[in-house]
Amino acid sequence: MITDLPFVNQKTQVFSTISTKLHVPVAPPSLVQRPRLMQQLNQSIQYKLVLVSAPAGFGKTTLLSDWSQRSEWPVAWVSLDAADNDPIHFWSYVITALDKLDADLEHILDLLRAAHTDITYHLTGLINALAAISDDFVLVLDDYHCIENNDIHTALTFLLDYLPPQMHLILAGRVAPPLPLARWRARSQLMELGSDDLRFSQEETQTLLRQTINVNLSAEEIAMFQQRTEGWVAGLHLAALTAGGSANITASFLNSFRGDHRYIVDYLATEVLQQQPEPIRNFLLSTAVLEYLQSDLCDAVTGRDDSRSVLAEIERRNLFIIPLCQQERTYRYHHLFADFLRSQLRQKQADQLPALHRQAAAWYQAGGDIGRAIQHTLAAGDFTEAADLVEQVVKQRLVLGEFNTLLGWFKALPEAVIHSRPKLCLFYAWTLTHAGRFDEATHYLDRLDQADGPEVKIFIGGKAAIQARMAVIQGDPDRIVECCKLALAHIPAELIALRSEISLDLAFAQEQLAANLEEVQEAFEEAIACNRSSHHPRAAMMASYYLGNLYLTHGQLQPAAQVYQQALQWAQRYSPPAVSLCWAHVGLGQLLYEWNRLDEAHEHLQQALQLAQQSGEVKVLIYSHRALAYLYQARDELTQAQTSLRQAEEIAQQTNIVSLIEDVAVDQMRLWLKEGQLDTAAGWVQQCGYSLDPEHPEARENAIVILLALAQGISQHVPLPQEIVPLLQQRCAHEQSIEHNWQLIQNMGLLAVAYSINGHTAKARETFQQTLALAQPAGFIRTLIDQGAAIATLLRQCVEDKAVGGYAGQLLAALGKETIVTITPLPTKLPDQSLVEPLRQRELEVLQLISTGRSNKEIADEMILAVSTVKWHLKNIYGKLQVNNRTQALARARELNLL
């Protein structure tokens, strides 16, 4: 075997091997195990070449060193650097590494040292020698991006073309090497691991942070961290280093973590930017002002005409560039890399920033993308031009519900510019109103009193319309009607969109004035029709939400579901989807939660929250957080529930809207009771000065005190205050008189619990049977079982009742298996356990529906699914039951006692 022999290159300069370049690097102490990637590398034995290519800091060397230490095959390793661009030098290291596998390659090395003939001549001997090795083995060439010598690339290609089947090569580097990869890819001889494969998952990120700085973050905080670093492992390490300790890893830190932090700057400057040729560096800095990179746009900003080829070269070099659309060749920079480039641009070429932004703005404006033109015009400091552009698109953005976008633009404009334009004052006030910032909105409304000219009537009407919407959010129906009348008297008929908004406000007034169901339903349906015809998606979706909520309040869950589904279907005409879809998603999420379909509810509520955050509309943001808090409680994920409620409370407190704050307070009370924190709840109630008020039975304070008293009565076996039962009776009578069946079911359930605590067992059972009879037709579930253990006792008592016993059993099933076992005898015939894989709950539901003869479309409508999803469930059912059609599936299901 070769030892550390001196080698002679073509210039006769003597050098010796550096033995550590041939050692597999030692894994770092903070190594995170990555079984998914280990499994992929274990499949490398099927390929001639494995290419691991990603930017600096993506963990290529760490991954391969860990795998090499664990590999069942012998591994030869070479760590390359710039000095290895000499072919003799390069191949000497390769041969020495392979010789460590007892390949007996000394004679090849002797021939190589002479180096008077074509290198491929010596490679022929090397290939023949390697072919004599009987077992599989692997050669790893790390940092292959350091090799720029074409002779080496040519020789390596020759080696790979004639590689013995038992030899496998792994190349790791920052760029894709100039080798015939397409040819090997087409022959299935190449396996590739890139940036997307190497990015840390949320689970891996959490493990890394726990190992490096001993910190556990919530799922939301991990997701936030993931978004900023995009799974870049060096970025994760540097973020932890920047934080300086686990106590500093807070949501505020994660939000503020950028590519201009010192450690990030040092790393990217030395490891990435300084390694690039000057033309590439200049291109990176000049295009750093862009959110998205397209060749024509980059040409316009940089003054070049070859940006397409430059972008291709940057992609080849893996310079933290992420392709977004291959057909249009659109890219973006990694978030932290973009932050870093912009900080470098501000430091080194600040005088060029306005011109770069103006060129970008002109390109976007010429292409009709006014939104991005506004962003760059503002960044250039051209505020008058920016205000002109905002006035062009503000109406469109308002009807789509893009309040956050508008707030960003308005905030960037100088106050004097806004004050000089009544139209902008009006639209800014409208935007602030929906963000719940009434005091600021009023400031801009007051500026309208100074307006003059032909548009004065419009400004008067617009101001009244905004004041009507404030009254809607505050729950003041008389004020709504007063403002709407004034608005309609001044707003011309041709301003259809604004008048359509007023139709929505009048529907709210009808509801809050306790009109009958038919009148309010008609008012909301009219508002939906008006806003759809005027192409006003935000108001149409908002009206749809409240119509669905109206049905829900009256205990009509199926009509509510139809309203939400129709709203989603109607909104599909908008591309990209309007952020105001959040209203339909939150409504459907709340409904699916009520039906205890928690996974589907979570999906819709997450979409609602994501869109609501983009929109910035305060009420739907709070609704989304509150609904998610309920869902997390149902899953016993109490930390997440507390986080969602805290976010809802922060938003509500910022608006200073009493009704929203009180709604969140009731939810907080429920969560404390769920957690068993009765003392905390009682202390808070006392601190707030809440007490029972028989004069106003519907007050939220009563609801809070009643919940606390019932919880104390159950857990601490203390008698209920004497006012509780009469108050609940009053609340029930009130809800029954206005046919608010949802609240009636809630209060009747609480009344039954109160009777039970007071020892009135017969009355409790009778009241609860009436509650079930009212709840059963619409299929209410969570409204009842969310009241917890006390309900379980009442349900058990009702199981034998012929009218509601089956429904009571279903609710017990929803409470959990342990409850069912205590009250339900085991079936005489146990289900057959010979299935390949058990059917899931959704699959059982589909199976039950096909047994009734429903078509795929009918099943989709009933389960609120796409037809394609139903087909997918059927495919899974057939596979698990090992059948080919519906008839066979039903027969097999009956054999297994599944129906």
Side-chain angles (χ1 to χ4, degrees), residues 399-467:
V399 301
L400 292 174
E402 297 179 6
F403 300 110
N404 268 346
T405 298
L406 290 170
L407 283 173
W409 293 345
F410 283 123
K411 186 177 180 180
L413 287 170
E415 193 86 336
V417 173
I418 300 175
H419 285 171
S420 67
R421 298 173 181 240
K423 187 181 294 184
L424 284 186
C425 287
L426 179 67
F427 289 132
Y428 196 7
W430 190 260
T431 304
L432 288 165
T433 295
H434 285 85
R437 293 156 60 173
F438 290 176
D439 291 343
E440 295 172 73
T442 301
H443 165 76
Y444 289 100
L445 288 179
D446 290 343
R447 299 290 305 183
L448 295 175
D449 295 338
Q450 303 172 22
D452 54 17
E455 295 184 312
V456 168
K457 286 191 66 174
I458 294 177
F459 294 141
I460 295 173
K463 179 177 180 178
I466 293 172
Q467 290 170 330

Side-chain angles (χ1 to χ4, degrees), residues 46 229 295 303 440 483 487 776 868:
Q46 305 172 25
T229 62
S295 58
E440 295 172 73
C483 292
Q776 184 174 9
S868 59

Side-chain angles (χ1 to χ4, degrees), residues 241-511:
L241 189 62
T242 301
S246 60
N248 298 322
I249 298 285
T250 62
S252 175
F253 168 78
L254 297 177
N255 271 321
S256 65
F257 183 65
R258 295 288 184 271
D260 54 4
H261 279 70
R262 178 167 61 88
Y263 294 120
I264 295 287
V265 169
D266 291 345
Y267 184 90
L268 292 175
T270 56
E271 292 294 325
V272 181
L273 195 61
Q274 291 176 13
Q275 308 297 321
Q276 308 310 315
E278 186 175 354
I280 294 290
R281 287 203 303 271
N282 290 336
F283 184 92
L284 292 171
L285 291 174
S286 296
T287 56
V289 299
L290 303 174
E291 185 179 4
Y292 300 106
L293 307 170
Q294 294 173 276
S295 58
D296 291 347
L297 173 58
C298 292
D299 282 344
V301 170
T302 62
R304 307 175 66 109
D305 60 4
D306 62 346
S307 293
R308 180 179 291 274
S309 61
V310 177
L311 287 169
E313 176 63 15
I314 290 174
E315 184 178 19
R316 189 191 73 78
R317 288 172 174 264
N318 264 331
L319 288 178
F320 293 89
I321 193 171
I322 298 171
L324 300 176
C325 177
Q326 288 295 342
Q327 290 181 340
E328 298 179 5
R329 306 300 292 172
T330 303
Y331 305 87
R332 70 168 174 83
Y333 292 126
H334 184 289
H335 294 319
L336 294 179
F337 191 55
D339 292 339
F340 160 73
L341 290 176
R342 288 165 193 152
S343 71
Q344 294 291 292
L345 181 60
R346 287 191 297 270
Q347 290 177 25
K348 299 178 180 180
Q349 302 176 16
D351 58 324
Q352 296 185 24
L353 273 169
L356 292 171
H357 281 296
R358 288 189 186 106
Q359 287 154 357
W363 188 88
Y364 276 122
Q365 190 172 356
D369 191 340
I370 305 301
R372 290 199 173 91
I374 291 171
Q375 292 172 354
H376 286 287
T377 305
L378 288 168
D382 300 335
F383 299 120
T384 300
E385 292 84 348
D388 291 340
L389 293 174
V390 170
E391 286 190 346
Q392 286 184 35
V393 298
V394 64
K395 289 181 183 178
Q396 177 192 12
R397 299 306 178 105
L398 280 172
V399 301
L400 292 174
E402 297 179 6
F403 300 110
N404 268 346
T405 298
L406 290 170
L407 283 173
W409 293 345
F410 283 123
K411 186 177 180 180
L413 287 170
E415 193 86 336
V417 173
I418 300 175
H419 285 171
S420 67
R421 298 173 181 240
K423 187 181 294 184
L424 284 186
C425 287
L426 179 67
F427 289 132
Y428 196 7
W430 190 260
T431 304
L432 288 165
T433 295
H434 285 85
R437 293 156 60 173
F438 290 176
D439 291 343
E440 295 172 73
T442 301
H443 165 76
Y444 289 100
L445 288 179
D446 290 343
R447 299 290 305 183
L448 295 175
D449 295 338
Q450 303 172 22
D452 54 17
E455 295 184 312
V456 168
K457 286 191 66 174
I458 294 177
F459 294 141
I460 295 173
K463 179 177 180 178
I466 293 172
Q467 290 170 330
R469 186 55 52 87
M470 289 181 180
V472 165
I473 297 172
Q474 293 171 317
D476 186 346
D478 294 328
R479 175 70 171 158
I480 295 171
V481 174
E482 175 190 348
C483 292
C484 285
K485 287 180 178 178
L486 179 61
L488 290 173
H490 288 82
I491 296 173
E494 60 267 22
L495 295 183
I496 301 173
L498 188 51
R499 293 180 72 92
S500 298
E501 285 269 13
I502 296 169
S503 70
L504 175 57
D505 294 336
L506 289 171
F508 281 121
Q510 286 273 71
E511 181 185 32

